[in-house]
């Protein structure tokens, strides 16, 4: 296996740029979700109850995000390194490109619609679900950037996560 390319988002974009883009993306997703909600449920009175539950749900969503990243890999029955750090899980070792793309995009594709439907189901607290959806979308931004970089990689490549980023490996 030879390393085709190393992806390190902090070196490529910089931490400040990623944070600024993520905050802008959060705001855009919140606005679009809330506008869509208002179009579907006009004249809904919003309640400011359950703020502590909002905080708990936000933490739970970020944990579920990490778990959903691992599910496509478990389904493919790949070996997973069992080291879990507080917010960074070392799980990517010799993962095929398609599995990695599914793993990167699945949290956004699964959690965002669930939060929007929860906003429709509980219209008095829809603003909480729209805010959590926006924050989660900003949290997904590095996944989107990695997915864009992976789209340019050869079809039959494998992905390894290293301490400083991701290595795209090809067989020669």
């Amino acid at each position: 296996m030879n390393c085709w390319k190393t992806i390190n988002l902090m070196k490529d974009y910089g931490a400040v740029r990623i944070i600024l883009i993520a905050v802008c993306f959060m705001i855009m997703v919140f606005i679009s979700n809330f506008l869509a909600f208002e179009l579907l449920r006009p004249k809904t009175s919003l309640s400011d109850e359950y703020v502590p539950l909002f905080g708990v749900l936000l933490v739970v969503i970020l944990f579920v995000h990490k778990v959903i990243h691992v599910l496509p890999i478990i389904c493919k029955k790949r070996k997973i390194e069992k080291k879990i750090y507080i917010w960074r899980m070392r799980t990517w070792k010799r993962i095929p490109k398609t599995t990695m793309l599914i793993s990167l995009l699945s949290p956004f594709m699964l959690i965002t619609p669930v939060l929007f439907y929860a906003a429709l189901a509980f219209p008095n607290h829809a603003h909480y679900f729209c805010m959590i959806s926006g924050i989660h979308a900003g949290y997904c931004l590095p996944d989107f950037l990695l997915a864009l970089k992976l789209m340019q990689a050869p079809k039959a490549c494998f992905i390894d996560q290293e301490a400083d980023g991701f290595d795209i490996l090809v067989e020669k």
Side-chain angles (χ1 to χ4, degrees), residues 97-140:
K97 175 184 172 180
T98 56
T99 305
M100 187 66 177
L101 283 172
I102 291 169
S103 175
L104 287 171
L105 299 176
S106 60
F108 183 79
M109 297 300 193
L110 293 174
I111 293 174
T112 304
V114 168
L115 289 172
F116 187 75
Y117 290 130
L120 291 175
F122 303 103
N124 292 340
H125 306 292
H127 56 293
Y128 292 142
F129 294 111
C130 291
M131 279 189 271
I132 292 171
S133 179
I135 292 168
H136 179 257
Y139 191 69
C140 289

Side-chain angles (χ1 to χ4, degrees), residues 2-157:
N2 291 331
C3 183
W4 182 73
K5 186 175 185 179
T6 299
I7 300 172
N8 186 342
L9 293 179
M10 293 304 152
K11 284 184 183 176
D12 293 345
Y13 297 103
V16 174
R17 183 179 291 173
I18 290 174
I19 290 171
L20 286 175
I21 294 171
V23 168
C24 291
F25 191 56
M26 284 181 206
I27 293 168
M28 286 177 22
V29 169
F30 169 74
I31 290 171
S32 63
N33 277 347
F34 197 72
L35 285 176
F37 169 77
E38 284 293 322
L39 288 174
L40 293 173
R41 299 274 172 108
K43 298 181 183 174
T44 302
S45 64
L46 300 175
S47 173
D48 61 351
E49 299 176 50
Y50 306 115
V51 174
L53 189 60
F54 165 76
V56 170
L57 186 60
L58 182 61
V59 171
V60 167
I61 290 295
L62 296 180
F63 176 73
V64 169
H65 173 97
K66 289 292 189 180
V67 171
I68 291 175
H69 270 306
V70 178
L71 289 178
I73 297 168
I74 291 174
C75 291
K76 288 290 187 174
K77 298 180 182 174
R78 298 279 177 203
K79 286 187 175 181
I80 295 177
E81 194 175 321
K82 303 267 180 178
K83 295 178 186 173
I84 298 179
Y85 297 106
I86 290 178
W87 286 105
R88 185 177 173 126
M89 292 189 286
R90 298 258 183 220
T91 55
W92 321 121
K93 293 293 177 190
R94 199 169 157 86
I95 305 298
K97 175 184 172 180
T98 56
T99 305
M100 187 66 177
L101 283 172
I102 291 169
S103 175
L104 287 171
L105 299 176
S106 60
F108 183 79
M109 297 300 193
L110 293 174
I111 293 174
T112 304
V114 168
L115 289 172
F116 187 75
Y117 290 130
L120 291 175
F122 303 103
N124 292 340
H125 306 292
H127 56 293
Y128 292 142
F129 294 111
C130 291
M131 279 189 271
I132 292 171
S133 179
I135 292 168
H136 179 257
Y139 191 69
C140 289
L141 184 76
D143 299 335
F144 295 145
L145 294 174
L146 285 171
L148 284 174
K149 297 268 187 180
L150 281 179
M151 296 292 277
Q152 301 166 354
K155 275 188 177 180
C157 67

